[in-house]
Amino acid sequence: MRKITTLTEGWRFLKAAIPAAQAVEFAARGEAVTLPHTWNAIDGQDGGNDYHRGTCWYVRELSAEETAGERLFLEVNGAAMTAEVWFNGEKLIRHEGGYSAFRVELTEKLQEKNILAISVNNEDNTTVYPQKADFTFYGGLYRDVKLIAVPAEHFELLKDGTPGIKVTPVVDLEKMTATITVETWHNAQSVDITINGETKTVERCAEFVIENVHLWDGVDDPYLYTATAKLPSGDEVSTRFGCRVFACDPEKGFFLNGRSYPLRGVSRHQDLKGKGNALSYEDHAADMAIIRELGANTLRLAHYQHAQEFYDLCDENGIVVWAEIPYITMHMQNARQNTLDQMRELITQCYNHPCIAVWGLSNEITAASAVNEELLENHRALNELCHRMDKTRLTTMADVFMLEIESPILEIPDINSYNLYFGWYLGELEQTDEFFDEYHAKYPERVIGFSEYGADANPAFHSSHPEKGDYTEEYQALYHEHMLKMIEQRPYLWATHVWNLFDFAADGRDEGGKHGENQKGLVTFDRSLRKDAFYLYKAAWNKTEAFVHLCGKRYVNRCEEETEIKVYSNREEVTLYVDGTKVGSQSGKTVFRFRIPLLGEHLIRAEAGDVSDTMCIRRVSEPDESYLFNKAAASVTNWFDADDIDPSCFSINDTLGEIRQHPQAGAIVDAMMAKGASERGDVADAVKDNPALQRMMGRMTMLSLLKQGGADEESIKQLNRILQGIKK
Ligand code: GCB
């Protein structure tokens, strides 16, 4: 029999980089904590990029009852980022990587009194990923720590945190049968393996055939089987598995069990306001409930290995998962081994989860690194490792927007995906459409997806003229309306993932009226508020729960004679009432727009079938300043009236490309940009040397380039005056 004890209570925490002996000596003076725990729950979320990054200690005495058993192992499910386990004064193991589990045997080291001391370190270094990314690198023992007592004959526990059992189902969709290969690792003579009531006694591996197989069929029917393996000693392991077939077609996108199944969903980070990454099972389950409410059928679990409980929830809910390691932003010469270690652990520990469809090799790795032989070799090594360990899944990569589509790195993984932020960080929304059209036309035989896209929104900010960079809830909604349509028109995209389902901690960020948060979430960091864009996707994806949502509920005070009322619904007809009087009905899909006169305070009600939603808005005489994040930028739209601009001459509304075709106008903007570039240094160099980026900028209007570059009102107006003096 196996006895598992979760070590939740009784820990002492010392926020001090001291030697192990001292940590034990001073433990009593440490703070009493329970696991899971992070020391960055507060300072990792409040901005300033000044959260504590160093070595801390967790110390605990193990009782006689806890240490009982023939062989005793310690299991650490998440120690961020590098941990050392000291037991009774001796260092037993060092583990590098904050997101995978590891185990160590304690048996031989047991004494009368047993003191466990674990040091955890999240300092920056050059050997362990991640080191460069916006999300907070929380430190702590933030997942369960367990003791596992097993008999002398037992399943393997040490190798890369293995579950000891590996199940590979291969499905024949024509015959509706599945051949299940079960491999086990143990030190006994034989093992009894059971699936579906059938038991086979073998040395290590067995094969089963399931007739009339019940498929794991995504969100519609995520059926799970269980495989159990038992040794004569009584030690037992079991794992759930699912029988399904994943496939990708460059023209038709993703297939599940032989039918077209476009993967449409979101990304998730593992953290929560006030708690950091020290999440409970209830926190994970609450996130999953929101994902189901949204109607997503896929998740990118970014940017690292998530908790086993969360992959379990994905198995149970039929969510198709992209799993990845934190090989992100910047290649580090001394961390090749770490990428391989983290990938080996990810695959070993997660192999049995039916939800996982692809292994992600890296994220935006060329954002701060050149594509050179070293980078390519690291990717080839990872790709080969994935295929060696897993014959059933594809590999992929999340490419940064400025990575040339001709780059050889795109040929390494089986399929690709791009992170594109046109319409947010740079460029215009439509450039996303053009990007994919170009890619697909040039490489029709390649499978391509959309691994990240999003726009920050602080639900306190509102506008009737939303625009890029204003952080309003309305711009985020518009942005996603565009992307939703763009995606629907391109069925070849094998998967699309909104960045991000939830706002998350990025302690180095200070923008959009919040410190330390990336606000691209469709839902706020504390999960209390769903932004309008959430309901856009819910209207498009949720097929089970009829609903209607009035946008702009928080945009109460409106300074205009007429206002737009926008409704998202998964019904086909929406009727609008103002103060109890019917305004009109509209048939359509997902987005319904009405315009109404604003006289005073109004009660708005939208109805779709037997569901409805209400809100109150009012007319005000002065704009409500509290709705504006950047008050100066917010007025930009009104600087230039279309009538004031002579269309026969150049203006800041022309694209850089158009202007550059005229020698005089081109020389003026080039001189101005060269001046800007000399002030910005290396960033500008990167632009200059990057033809893809140059092309993208060529398509942007001068106005949007200037605003993005932070130009002030006066210089924008001045350039416009100059351009207006030049005939096209
Ligand atoms: C990215 C990164 C992601 C960031 C995101 C952003 O491309 O992959 O980790 O959080 O952009 O919001 O800037």
Side-chain angles (χ1 to χ4, degrees):
M1 284 299 289
R2 183 175 272 224
K3 190 181 95 185
I4 300 178
T5 312
T6 304
L7 302 176
T8 307
E9 314 279 334
W11 292 90
R12 290 286 171 166
F13 171 67
L14 293 149
K15 200 174 179 175
I18 47 178
Q22 273 183 28
V24 171
E25 191 186 330
F26 300 144
R29 287 194 238 156
E31 182 192 343
V33 297
T34 55
L35 298 191
H37 177 264
T38 168
W39 61 79
N40 299 122
I42 305 302
D43 69 358
Q45 308 189 336
D46 60 359
N49 206 17
D50 54 355
Y51 58 104
H52 183 72
R53 294 184 68 178
T55 300
C56 298
W57 284 93
Y58 294 87
V59 184
R60 190 190 191 277
E61 188 172 338
L62 305 182
S63 70
E65 195 194 326
E66 285 165 347
T67 52
E70 260 180 284
R71 303 277 295 271
L72 189 69
F73 293 81
L74 177 77
E75 175 180 282
V76 179
N77 283 285
M81 303 285 179
T82 294
E84 285 184 3
V85 174
W86 291 69
F87 191 57
N88 295 332
E90 189 182 333
K91 182 166 107 181
L92 300 188
I93 193 173
R94 175 181 167 89
H95 181 262
E96 297 184 334
Y99 305 95
S100 49
F102 65 94
R103 302 196 188 99
V104 61
E105 182 162 12
L106 305 181
T107 321
E108 303 296 323
K109 312 290 174 188
L110 284 165
Q111 295 175 7
E112 206 142 297
K113 184 174 162 173
N114 293 294
I115 306 285
L116 174 64
I118 305 179
S119 74
V120 186
N121 173 299
N122 67 338
E123 236 168 345
D124 57 346
N125 61 71
T126 56
T127 49
V128 183
Y129 286 101
Q131 289 300 331
K132 203 176 168 78
D134 70 344
F135 64 95
T136 294
F137 304 145
Y138 296 104
L141 273 185
Y142 71 98
R143 291 189 193 139
D144 285 342
V145 172
K146 295 178 181 173
L147 288 173
I148 305 177
V150 290
E153 274 189 349
H154 59 270
F155 288 94
E156 169 69 38
L157 285 154
L158 295 180
K159 180 114 187 37
D160 294 327
T162 174
I165 181 168
K166 181 178 176 187
V167 181
T168 308
V170 175
V171 180
D172 183 329
L173 288 173
E174 257 166 45
K175 299 200 189 112
M176 283 305 277
T177 58
T179 307
I180 318 293
T181 307
V182 185
E183 295 158 85
T184 60
W185 287 264
H186 56 78
N187 58 358
Q189 297 293 319
S190 68
V191 56
D192 286 348
I193 302 179
T194 306
I195 285 182
N196 239 3
E198 184 187 356
T199 301
K200 295 190 175 182
T201 304
V202 292
E203 226 173 89
R204 293 203 189 292
C205 312
E207 207 176 271
F208 295 80
V209 175
I210 303 178
E211 308 281 349
N212 296 319
V213 61
H214 192 156
L215 297 175
W216 185 90
D217 206 20
V219 285
D220 300 329
D221 184 17
Y223 186 81
L224 295 170
Y225 288 93
T226 301
T228 305
K230 194 169 181 176
L231 302 178
S233 67
D235 192 30
E236 187 179 305
V237 288
S238 75
T239 182
R240 295 183 305 181
F241 66 94
C243 298
R244 79 284 185 260
V245 182
F246 295 141
C248 280
D249 181 277
E251 201 52 51
K252 299 192 190 120
F254 193 80
F255 279 72
L256 171 64
N257 299 329
R259 65 174 164 125
S260 164
Y261 191 82
L263 295 178
R264 301 294 175 251
V266 292
S267 275
R268 175 202 188 233
H269 261 303
Q270 55 171 25
D271 73 340
L272 191 58
K273 177 103 182 150
K275 276 198 166 185
N277 58 354
L279 304 182
S280 66
Y281 179 77
E282 288 69 32
D283 297 326
H284 291 303
D287 278 4
M288 181 51 75
I290 296 175
I291 290 155
R292 293 309 307 272
E293 180 195 335
L294 183 66
N297 64 9
T298 181
L299 271 178
R300 178 170 172 219
L301 292 180
H303 281 305
Y304 38 72
Q305 185 172 332
H306 283 231
Q308 284 301 317
E309 293 90 316
F310 202 80
Y311 295 106
D312 284 341
L313 283 162
C314 293
D315 291 342
E316 290 159 13
N317 285 277
I319 302 292
V320 175
V321 166
W322 163 326
E324 68 189 37
I325 55 164
Y327 184 25
I328 179 168
T329 318
M330 174 184 67
H331 174 80
M332 299 191 296
Q333 276 189 331
N334 300 325
R336 178 182 186 275
Q337 189 55 43
N338 187 250
T339 65
L340 297 172
D341 292 346
Q342 293 208 42
M343 186 62 89
R344 233 183 30 254
E345 291 177 327
L346 173 73
I347 299 178
T348 304
Q349 294 169 23
C350 298
Y351 183 91
N352 295 334
H353 289 289
C355 64
I356 297 176
V358 293
W359 304 116
L361 306 182
S362 65
N363 178 72
E364 299 201 343
I365 200 67
T366 59
S369 307
V371 182
N372 54 25
E373 181 46 33
E374 187 179 310
L375 184 84
L376 293 171
E377 190 282 330
N378 203 147
H379 278 76
R380 281 195 292 268
L382 282 169
N383 198 51
E384 277 156 27
L385 174 71
C386 292
H387 288 315
R388 197 169 349 110
M389 292 184 70
D390 186 348
K391 305 272 181 272
T392 68
R393 292 180 175 98
L394 299 175
T395 55
T396 189
M397 221 178 114
D399 306 316
V400 68
F401 78 97
M402 70 254 209
L403 176 67
E404 290 278 6
I405 61 176
E406 297 83 12
S407 172
I409 199 165
L410 287 159
E411 290 166 33
I412 296 176
D414 299 320
I415 58 178
N416 266 286
S417 239
Y418 262 89
N419 298 352
L420 301 178
Y421 286 94
F422 297 120
W424 182 247
Y425 288 125
L426 101 166
E428 313 298 336
L429 293 167
E430 297 71 26
Q431 285 177 258
T432 320
D433 318 27
E434 292 163 19
F435 181 94
F436 282 119
D437 290 345
E438 253 178 61
Y439 186 97
H440 190 56
K442 183 153 187 182
Y443 297 110
E445 77 295 351
R446 286 195 194 166
V447 176
I448 188 73
F450 195 12
S451 33
E452 272 184 36
Y453 65 103
D456 291 71
N458 180 334
F461 299 140
H462 302 285
S463 167
S464 292
H465 308 283
E467 52 173 79
K468 184 169 77 174
D470 67 7
Y471 293 89
T472 61
E473 201 176 351
E474 287 72 29
Y475 183 74
Q476 186 191 41
L478 271 188
Y479 171 97
H480 284 292
E481 283 171 29
H482 178 92
M483 294 306 166
L484 183 65
K485 212 180 280 160
M486 191 290 296
I487 289 165
E488 282 174 355
Q489 291 162 351
R490 288 164 183 77
Y492 59 82
L493 294 171
W494 72 272
T496 64
H497 294 101
V498 173
W499 188 262
N500 193 290
L501 176 54
F502 304 110
D503 292 346
F504 61 88
D507 200 51
R509 284 186 184 265
D510 184 0
E511 55 180 307
K514 285 222 177 119
H515 305 296
E517 272 184 44
N518 183 316
Q519 296 186 80
K520 292 190 187 67
L522 304 177
V523 178
T524 51
F525 196 11
D526 63 2
R527 280 45 170 176
S528 69
L529 188 151
R530 288 151 173 75
K531 304 178 194 175
D532 284 341
F534 176 90
Y535 293 98
L536 170 74
Y537 288 104
K538 182 171 172 180
W541 295 341
N542 185 319
K543 304 273 182 275
T544 53
E545 171 202 339
F547 90 100
V548 60
H549 172 79
L550 273 165
C551 296
K553 282 201 183 78
R554 285 165 281 275
Y555 183 23
V556 178
N557 300 323
R558 304 185 183 197
C559 180
E560 51 201 10
E561 279 174 25
E562 209 186 77
T563 198
E564 180 183 79
I565 303 293
K566 197 164 60 179
V567 182
Y568 294 151
S569 177
N570 55 0
R571 303 286 97 180
E572 278 160 15
E573 192 178 79
V574 171
T575 305
L576 193 78
Y577 297 85
V578 177
D579 302 324
T581 306
K582 180 170 164 179
V583 169
S585 290
Q586 271 186 38
S587 307
K589 199 177 154 228
T590 317
V591 186
F592 304 81
R593 291 171 200 277
F594 299 85
R595 285 200 77 79
I596 62 159
L598 263 188
L599 303 169
E601 188 149 332
H602 300 291
L603 176 69
I604 316 286
R605 197 160 73 90
E607 226 177 68
D610 46 14
V611 288
S612 67
D613 195 17
T614 55
M615 70 176 184
C616 278
I617 55 171
R618 73 172 73 91
R619 170 120 185 235
V620 291
S621 52
E622 294 295 319
D624 186 331
E625 294 258 310
S626 72
Y627 291 161
L628 305 179
F629 160 59
N630 183 341
K631 295 172 183 63
S635 64
V636 166
T637 16
N638 308 322
W639 291 350
F640 303 100
D641 229 323
D643 302 343
D644 294 346
I645 289 188
D646 176 358
S648 68
C649 298
F650 285 101
S651 80
I652 51 163
N653 290 334
D654 294 318
T655 62
L656 177 63
E658 285 160 356
I659 298 175
R660 274 193 171 146
Q661 281 179 11
H662 187 280
Q664 189 193 351
I668 291 167
V669 296
D670 279 344
M672 198 197 71
M673 292 185 52
K675 182 168 169 284
S678 68
E679 283 157 14
R680 282 199 304 276
D682 52 344
V683 179
D685 277 348
V687 174
K688 190 171 86 251
D689 298 340
N690 190 318
L693 212 53
Q694 283 287 343
R695 273 202 307 277
M696 286 164 201
M697 286 175 61
R699 292 188 202 131
M700 290 170 69
T701 66
M702 219 38 231
L703 177 61
S704 87
L705 277 167
L706 287 167
K707 277 166 57 180
Q708 207 151 283
D712 57 51
E713 180 172 346
E714 213 21 71
S715 22
I716 296 179
K717 282 182 170 168
Q718 193 188 339
L719 180 69
N720 194 53
R721 276 194 294 272
I722 299 172
L723 290 173
Q724 282 278 279
I726 306 173
K727 274 263 175 240
K728 282 188 177 168

